[in-house]
């Protein structure tokens, strides 16, 4: 059974190799957190310096408009999230919450400065990850703007099939930009097509 440290180090090793000293430096930061399903990590209006990296589980970001939750994204294993408010140093416009029991690393900008000054290598990893994440978000956003709900659902089946099992229907519907009833109809139509 792999420990959380192993999972994290395996992931990092795709980008750079770490010495034992560097691994110990990461462990000394005490960044691993086990968080119960339903926990809110960040609320609208809060300020935060925290970035998250999901080792196991699923977190989602959403905002509330006219007392309705609008899901903007889901983050699962090996995905990083730095809420926009961390970068802009303004109160958050979003909520971040766990929709499963989740194990993640929580780091903040102060820690990163400290680690980066001791080990320049980490700056490289952070930069690569940030660039990958931005590229992915841009692609997701462009696809979302130009596609129909049906197309979005098909993209989801293709790219993130695990979410269909893991995420409650109403959150999935809000993420796709449709009402839960519409999502049921959409699924029925797609299943019907695949049978035909």
């Amino acid at each position: 059974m792999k420990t959380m440290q192993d999972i994290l180090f395996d992931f990092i090793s795709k980008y750079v190799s770490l010495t034992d000293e560097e691994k110990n430096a990461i462990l000394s930061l005490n960044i691993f957190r086990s968080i119960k399903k339903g926990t809110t990590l960040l609320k609208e209006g809060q300020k935060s310096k925290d970035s998250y990296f999901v080792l196991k589980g699923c977190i989602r970001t959403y905002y509330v408009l006219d007392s309705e939750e609008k899901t903007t994204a889901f983050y699962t294993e090996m995905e990083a999230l730095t809420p926009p408010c961390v970068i802009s140093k303004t109160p958050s416009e979003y909520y971040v919450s766990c929709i499963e029991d989740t194990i993640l690393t929580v780091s903040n900008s102060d820690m990163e400065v400290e680690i980066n000054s001791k080990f320049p290598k980490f700056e490289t990893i952070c930069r690569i990850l940030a660039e990958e994440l931005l590229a992915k978000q841009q692609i997701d956003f462009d696809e979302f703007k130009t596609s129909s709900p049906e197309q979005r659902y098909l993209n989801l089946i293709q790219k993130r099939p695990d979410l269909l099992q893991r995420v409650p229907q109403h959150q999935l519907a809000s993420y796709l930009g449709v009402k839960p009833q519409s999502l049921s109809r959409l699924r029925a139509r797609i299943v019907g097509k695949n049978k035909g």
Side-chain angles (χ1 to χ4, degrees), residues 49-108:
K49 288 182 170 185
D50 292 344
S51 296
Y52 309 101
F53 181 74
V54 181
L55 292 163
K56 187 177 187 309
C58 181
I59 58 181
R60 79 175 172 123
T61 53
Y62 63 97
Y63 61 96
V64 176
L65 189 67
D66 303 328
S67 69
E68 215 178 296
E69 289 182 5
K70 304 281 185 194
T71 300
T72 52
F74 298 102
Y75 297 85
T76 53
E77 285 78 11
M78 303 302 124
E79 290 189 318
L81 163 64
T82 297
C85 67
V86 173
I87 298 156
S88 63
K89 297 184 171 40
T90 55
S92 179
E93 294 175 13
Y94 296 95
Y95 290 84
V96 179
S97 70
C98 299
I99 53 177
E100 294 177 347
D101 287 344
T102 301
I103 297 171
L104 33 81
T105 69
V106 180
S107 61
N108 62 44

Side-chain angles (χ1 to χ4, degrees), residues 29-45:
L29 293 171
N30 186 21
I31 53 176
F32 296 93
R33 300 278 179 276
S34 232
I35 297 174
K36 285 267 166 268
K37 174 181 177 171
T39 304
T40 300
L41 299 170
L42 178 66
K43 291 190 168 94
E44 182 187 356

Side-chain angles (χ1 to χ4, degrees), residues 165-179:
Q165 312 302 314
R166 299 171 72 167
V167 173
Q169 281 306 294
H170 63 282
Q171 292 177 2
L172 214 48
S174 121
Y175 174 64
L176 294 167
V178 297
K179 295 261 177 273

Side-chain angles (χ1 to χ4, degrees), residues 9 12-13 16-27 118-119 121-122 125:
F9 294 147
I12 293 174
S13 70
V16 295
S17 57
L18 293 178
T19 64
D20 286 342
E21 187 193 359
E22 288 163 339
K23 287 181 180 176
N24 289 332
I26 294 179
L27 296 178
K118 283 187 198 156
F119 305 105
K121 218 184 263 185
F122 287 117
I125 303 174

Side-chain angles (χ1 to χ4, degrees), residues 102-141:
T102 301
I103 297 171
L104 33 81
T105 69
V106 180
S107 61
N108 62 44
S109 35
D110 303 340
M111 267 182 204
E112 283 160 24
V113 169
E114 187 188 329
I115 270 277
N116 292 347
S117 64
K118 283 187 198 156
F119 305 105
K121 218 184 263 185
F122 287 117
E123 212 160 331
T124 313
I125 303 174
C126 294
R127 198 178 56 247
I128 294 170
L129 286 177
E131 284 164 7
E132 282 183 3
L133 188 66
L134 272 176
K136 176 185 167 305
Q137 284 172 336
Q138 192 55 51
I139 290 167
D140 288 351
F141 185 64

